Amino acid sequence: MSRGISNFNQHYSNKESVIFFELTTHCNAGCPQCHRTNRDGLGKAEWIPLKQWTLDKFKKVFPPEALDNIKCMEFCGTWGDPMMCKDVFEITEYILNESNANVLFNTNGSIRNPDWWWEFGLLGKDRMTVVWAIDGSTQEMHNKYRQNTNLSLIMENMQSFSAAGGISSIFTIVFKHNQSDLYDIATLAKNNGAVSATFVQSNRFRPGEPQYHFIDSKGNSDFLEQTTRDNNRSFYWSSFNLNNEYDMIRIKQESEM
């Protein structure tokens, strides 16, 4: 038996398994460097089929006895945004009611409305974390990468979810255009209910090519530029507590470099 399978079996039997799961290939955003995005127009790549999980199918794959061994179910957004899944509320409710597992979502957050997010926060409380993709403190800056999303709506949704008891964190992809905005992003997120932040530099530039060219949804040529900051691993990919003064100072220092 391989080491990986052995470790999985051990984690599973110890009720420590973390499941990384895709709920759908649907997405409302058009992020230029995303795996699912066609850089010519920012639509869905033609080879990706549009699919999503239903509650019934999820129950068949994860009956209560299987959920009982899972520590956390993480719904990622690699091929689609999980909040685009029609049954996401019901699937989450099923997990929380039938197990002790925690739930984590990665989302652009510009989906549904504050009332829906309030109910979602009440459902999950401190067993649910939502990681919101925030790439600028203004709509123009945020939309440079996270295209077709509305920053004001995201903030309203985050605030509503957090006020209802859900745990909010943010995830920021750093480019040249937003590298000096990290402190403002963190402050905006903190003021709307987020408790932590993670910053990462885009790794989707080819060696020797600091610009990534694309055609936007209106047919205009545009490009992203690679950050000029050193990829300091003690800062990037770290989780910062937005209620900790020292962590906020570190974010501010990185923004002002």
Side-chain angles (χ1 to χ4, degrees):
M1 180 179 292
S2 72
R3 179 179 175 85
I5 295 176
S6 176
N7 287 343
F8 173 80
N9 289 340
Q10 180 179 349
H11 284 302
Y12 187 77
S13 61
N14 291 340
K15 304 183 186 297
E16 297 175 342
S17 296
V18 177
I19 305 297
F20 196 71
F21 198 87
E22 292 274 357
L23 273 178
T24 182
T25 57
H26 291 261
C27 190
N28 59 310
C31 306
Q33 290 185 328
C34 179
H35 293 305
R36 77 180 301 280
T37 303
N38 184 341
R39 64 196 294 179
D40 184 6
L42 304 186
K44 179 185 68 66
E46 293 182 0
W47 58 270
I48 298 178
L50 288 175
K51 294 184 177 182
Q52 60 182 309
W53 283 71
T54 64
L55 175 61
D56 288 342
K57 183 177 180 181
F58 191 88
K59 284 182 174 181
K60 290 178 181 178
V61 176
F62 294 100
E65 57 269 24
L67 287 177
D68 189 50
N69 288 54
I70 295 174
K71 179 180 181 181
C72 181
M73 183 75 74
E74 180 172 347
F75 295 104
C76 53
T78 302
W79 303 109
D81 195 295
M83 294 306 164
M84 292 289 288
C85 178
K86 292 180 180 179
D87 287 353
V88 62
F89 193 101
E90 291 77 12
I91 289 172
T92 305
E93 186 175 38
Y94 168 71
I95 296 170
L96 295 172
N97 287 343
E98 298 296 336
S99 75
N100 293 317
N102 292 326
V103 185
L104 185 147
F105 289 91
N106 292 278
T107 179
N108 66 65
S110 188
I111 306 169
R112 305 181 187 272
N113 59 49
D115 289 340
W116 187 93
W117 281 100
W118 171 265
E119 295 298 328
F120 203 52
L122 290 177
L123 174 67
K125 294 286 188 179
D126 58 1
R127 287 177 61 192
M128 188 192 303
T129 298
V130 172
V131 181
W132 310 76
I134 311 296
D135 294 323
S137 62
T138 66
Q139 175 63 27
E140 181 180 8
M141 184 175 293
H142 175 76
N143 196 62
K144 177 74 172 178
Y145 181 70
R146 204 67 57 175
Q147 300 209 14
N148 303 331
T149 66
N150 185 314
L151 183 61
S152 294
L153 176 60
I154 297 166
M155 290 299 104
E156 291 177 14
N157 289 341
M158 181 195 297
Q159 188 176 63
S160 184
F161 172 79
S162 303
I167 302 169
S168 286
S169 180
I170 67 163
F171 181 87
T172 300
I173 302 177
V174 181
F175 300 90
K176 185 177 179 180
H177 70 267
N178 66 354
Q179 64 187 19
S180 298
D181 200 48
L182 306 186
Y183 181 76
D184 289 341
I185 292 171
T187 301
L188 177 67
K190 177 182 176 180
N191 290 342
N192 284 278
V195 296
S196 62
T198 300
F199 303 96
V200 303
Q201 296 185 0
S202 172
N203 61 0
R204 296 179 184 175
F205 291 91
R206 293 178 179 177
E209 297 182 16
Q211 292 184 348
Y212 183 94
H213 291 262
F214 61 91
I215 306 297
D216 68 19
S217 59
K218 297 180 180 179
N220 300 316
S221 297
D222 204 349
F223 62 90
L224 297 164
E225 287 190 87
Q226 194 170 22
T227 179
T228 58
R229 304 287 168 78
D230 291 335
N231 194 7
N232 182 352
R233 300 297 285 189
S234 68
F235 181 87
Y236 295 102
W237 287 103
S238 296
S239 178
F240 292 96
N241 181 347
L242 299 182
N243 294 311
N244 181 285
E245 183 179 0
Y246 174 72
D247 280 6
M248 290 298 287
I249 289 173
R250 286 192 65 196
I251 297 170
K252 189 172 184 178
Q253 289 172 339
E254 183 69 19
S255 298
E256 295 175 346
M257 288 180 61

